[in-house]
Amino acid sequence: MSKRFTSLALTAHPPAARHRGRGPSRRVVAPFAAVSVLVAGVALTGCGQQRDADVYTVLNSSTDESYHRWDAEAMARCGERLGVTIEQQSVPAAQVMTKALRMASSKSLPDVVQFDASEMPTFADAGGLVDLRSLGLSTDDIPEGIVDFGSYEGTYYGAARSVNTLALFYNKDVLDEAGVEVPATWAELRETAKQLTRGKQYGLALSAGGAEDGVFQFTPFMWSNGGDETELDSPQVVEALDYWKDLLKDRSLSKSTVNWTQADVNDQFMAGNAAMMINGPWQVETLNAQKSLRWGIAPIPVPEAGEDSVGPLGGAVLTVPNTGDAAREKTAGKIVACLSSEKEQLTYALNSWMVPANAEAAEVWRERVPELDSLADQVAVARSRTAQLGAGWSSVSLALQSAFQSALTGQSSETALKRAQQRATSGN
């Protein structure tokens, strides 16, 4: 194991995310209390319908054609290895939780559910998931931080195939023409973004929309500045949101930032409307399709030189729902083990540009995609949105989403975040 991934094992906090799909996007965070009641009421009632003994179902969010195909190919390989047929049901990321709840209520839960890691604790808290270790899955070759990523209150419920985080993407030609270096600090980012804002081109694009995308993108600024999700109105969090407001005031960000998802941000960058953007590796396939675009990647700038750029550790996890059918759950565990094996992780990560969760696979990945090496470095110090609050993250997310909309359209950051802290604490 390399020093960098040893560091991840020692310092990274549990994770969460998605993909065009794989980082959070257009996803509505379901209120914890409501989901908990529903899951507790129906997830443990067992299978209500006869199932084909040799056909297993995986519910995921791989609606994108490429991801759906990659998953289908992996499931075919694992199905052949295990002597079963594995079928996938794909719905948009925002619908995975609600789809799983509907299937639970009709006693037709799938055998495997791929949850966004930020949603997994909610299902697990209500008793809706099976401990993967009890099904024979080992975590020996997985860095501690990524094991925590798939765990809730110390129990390992979710196996990650890959993880991701956010980084600063930049247009090499635009920066070269302007004669500026890639920014490494907040002051440098603000100044560089100002210099690169000209005509229809903004210096920077990011998502500050009233959805999980905006929260995901705010965490590097909040955490790198010493802020904490347990105290949203702290001076450090206020300062981070004020920094976003300063970028808007400079006109380095578009006013439409408050409406953009991460996919929208990528569209703006590819169209030449932004010289830099905050985004994740799930956009790489699309970026590479535009041959004329020369882009680079770097850690997200930090308040002061030499500090760690602490971003959100993202990704989805494969879980086995508690259906009451022990035999099927055991086979479902074998399916999860196969899909998250070192070989399958590497294949999936090379297709999707994510970082493999398995440490050995991650080292091979670094050698195969050296242009994303800095992304792997950022993963090494990344944190999970649910690391401290578990299922309580959803209330914080909703509160922050409202705060962004208020603060970036005129209200003071301090006022908006005081209200957010009240909302997060009360759950309203």
Side-chain angles (χ1 to χ4, degrees), residues 5 17 25 52 103 136-137 150 166 188 208 236 246 257 268 288 333:
F5 272 84
S25 182
D52 188 323
M103 296 177 81
L137 273 79
L166 294 168
E188 291 172 1
Q236 294 90 342
D246 287 340
T257 293
Q268 295 298 317
N288 284 343

Side-chain angles (χ1 to χ4, degrees), residues 58-316:
V58 177
L59 175 65
N60 61 25
S61 60
S62 299
T63 53
D64 179 275
E65 187 277 329
S66 295
Y67 283 95
H68 194 83
R69 172 167 43 82
W70 298 332
D71 278 339
E73 291 168 354
M75 290 175 198
R77 289 190 294 270
C78 287
E80 183 175 359
R81 199 170 307 159
L82 298 172
V84 298
T85 298
I86 307 173
E87 299 177 344
Q88 70 173 320
Q89 294 183 13
S90 300
V91 298
Q95 298 175 22
V96 172
M97 177 66 81
T98 52
K99 176 73 172 178
L101 287 170
R102 284 198 301 270
M103 296 177 81
S105 66
S106 62
K107 301 180 183 179
S108 59
L109 273 166
D111 298 288
V112 175
V113 178
Q114 180 174 286
F115 282 114
D116 180 283
S118 67
E119 291 183 327
M120 180 274 291
T122 299
F123 223 79
D125 185 83
L129 299 176
V130 179
D131 178 353
L132 294 182
R133 287 193 179 97
S134 73
L135 299 177
L137 273 79
S138 170
T139 57
D140 290 347
D141 297 324
I142 306 173
E144 183 181 348
I146 298 179
V147 174
D148 290 344
F149 176 53
S151 301
Y152 176 63
E153 294 188 344
T155 301
Y156 183 56
Y157 292 111
R161 288 183 289 174
S162 64
V163 291
N164 63 67
T165 191
L166 294 168
L168 179 72
F169 289 73
Y170 57 92
N171 186 312
K172 290 183 177 181
D173 291 331
V174 171
L175 267 68
D176 287 348
E177 183 182 334
V180 297
E181 299 293 325
V182 179
T185 65
W186 281 10
E188 291 172 1
L189 177 60
R190 187 175 180 186
E191 183 57 34
T192 301
K194 276 185 186 179
Q195 292 184 47
L196 298 178
T197 298
R198 56 186 71 167
K200 294 183 179 180
Q201 175 186 280
Y202 290 94
L204 179 67
L206 55 80
S207 170
E212 186 72 6
D213 274 21
V215 179
F216 196 65
Q217 296 226 331
F218 183 64
T219 54
F221 296 88
M222 175 173 73
W223 288 337
S224 296
N225 200 43
D228 190 278
E229 53 268 39
T230 63
E231 192 179 352
L232 299 180
D233 54 353
S234 72
Q236 294 90 342
V237 182
V238 170
E239 187 176 22
L241 188 49
D242 274 340
Y243 182 76
W244 271 16
K245 292 189 70 169
D246 287 340
L247 292 171
L248 268 177
K249 191 186 306 178
D250 294 343
R251 299 187 178 179
S252 297
L253 291 178
S254 168
K255 290 182 179 179
S256 298
T257 293
V258 295
N259 300 315
W260 283 347
T261 64
Q262 293 180 129
D264 296 328
V265 168
N266 192 58
D267 289 343
Q268 295 298 317
F269 182 73
M270 292 186 65
N273 297 329
M276 300 178 290
M277 71 169 176
I278 306 294
N279 227 313
W282 51 87
Q283 308 293 7
V284 170
E285 183 185 16
T286 306
L287 292 171
N288 284 343
Q290 189 167 313
K291 302 301 182 184
S292 61
L293 179 62
R294 293 178 61 247
W295 58 272
I297 187 172
I300 295 173
V302 292
E304 300 293 337
E307 297 176 339
D308 282 334
S309 180
V310 186
L313 188 58

Side-chain angles (χ1 to χ4, degrees), residues 5 8 14-18 22 117 142-143 145-147 149-150 159-165 281-282 312-317 345 348-349 352-358 362 365 375-376 379-380 382:
F5 272 84
L8 187 153
R18 82 121 260 182
R22 310 282 159 176
I142 306 173
I146 298 179
V147 174
F149 176 53
R161 288 183 289 174
S162 64
V163 291
N164 63 67
T165 191
W282 51 87
L313 188 58
V317 291
Q345 279 192 27
Y348 183 78
S352 64
W353 304 96
M354 308 298 176
V355 182
N358 178 283
W365 180 89
L375 183 73
V379 162

